[in-house]
Amino acid sequence: MKWEVRVAYRRGVQDPEGETTKSALEMLGYGCVEEVRSAKLFIIEGECTREEVEQMCRRLLANPVSQEYEIRRVE
Amino acid sequence: MKWEVRVAYRRGVQDPEGETTKSALEMLGYGCVEEVRSAKLFIIEGECTREEVEQMCRRLLANPVSQEYEIRRVE
């Protein structure tokens, strides 16, 4: 099985990497950019159940205070 | 418009974050995990064309030596 976990900052929480990327793109001349948000992906392979992957998110992959996660089975 | 850029290490290139995450998950008792790969997502909002987003990837978002990128329009 293959799971994709997407971890992103919650709306309203600062996203320093997204902001820095936006500034850099503006400096490079991309005036079209209105907002950049960043997120992390973990692609986990193995015979893990959805419940186990949920637990991994809560225990290690995401910070529940500032981040939210989404789990998707891709294979 | 909303674009999603996914930047990942090329196959064969070391992925330190993926490896560290795998070790941490094993230490937490998740023996089911066979492999963890990490990737970065940038969600870019604005009236940018696909060609512009391609350029952003080549100029800033991805390192062509070690990373590959995938662009997807989501809105």
Side-chain angles (χ1 to χ4, degrees):
Chain A
M1 273 181 265
K2 198 169 174 178
W3 299 91
E4 244 184 49
V5 175
R6 177 183 173 138
V7 180
Y9 289 104
R10 293 182 188 280
R11 280 270 155 201
V13 173
Q14 273 217 329
D15 172 2
E17 189 170 1
E19 286 164 28
T20 307
T21 305
K22 180 176 183 267
S23 306
L25 289 172
E26 282 169 349
M27 281 191 288
L28 286 173
Y30 298 105
C32 60
V33 177
E34 280 160 28
E35 198 185 5
V36 181
R37 305 279 299 172
S38 74
K40 227 18 272 165
L41 274 186
F42 296 98
I43 300 101
I44 299 171
E45 286 186 64
E47 294 306 306
C48 306
T49 64
R50 179 176 288 270
E51 183 45 46
E52 284 172 314
V53 180
E54 283 273 357
Q55 267 186 28
M56 294 175 198
C57 289
R58 291 196 300 268
R59 295 178 70 188
L60 182 79
L61 304 177
N63 175 345
V65 175
S66 57
Q67 296 176 315
E68 57 196 1
Y69 60 84
E70 217 179 276
I71 299 170
R72 207 160 60 90
R73 183 166 168 191
V74 287
E75 259 172 40
Chain B
M1 272 181 263
K2 199 167 173 178
W3 298 92
E4 245 184 48
V5 175
R6 179 182 171 137
V7 181
Y9 289 104
R10 294 181 187 281
R11 280 270 154 201
V13 173
Q14 271 218 330
D15 172 3
E17 189 170 2
E19 286 164 28
T20 307
T21 305
K22 179 175 185 266
S23 306
L25 289 172
E26 283 170 348
M27 280 191 289
L28 286 172
Y30 298 105
C32 59
V33 177
E34 280 160 27
E35 195 184 8
V36 180
R37 304 280 298 172
S38 75
K40 223 26 265 168
L41 272 186
F42 296 98
I43 300 102
I44 299 172
E45 286 187 64
E47 295 305 306
C48 307
T49 63
R50 178 175 288 270
E51 183 45 47
E52 283 171 315
V53 180
E54 283 271 358
Q55 267 185 28
M56 294 174 198
C57 290
R58 290 195 301 266
R59 295 177 69 189
L60 184 77
L61 304 177
N63 176 343
V65 175
S66 55
Q67 296 175 316
E68 57 195 1
Y69 60 84
E70 215 180 279
I71 299 169
R72 205 161 61 92
R73 183 167 168 192
V74 286
E75 261 173 41

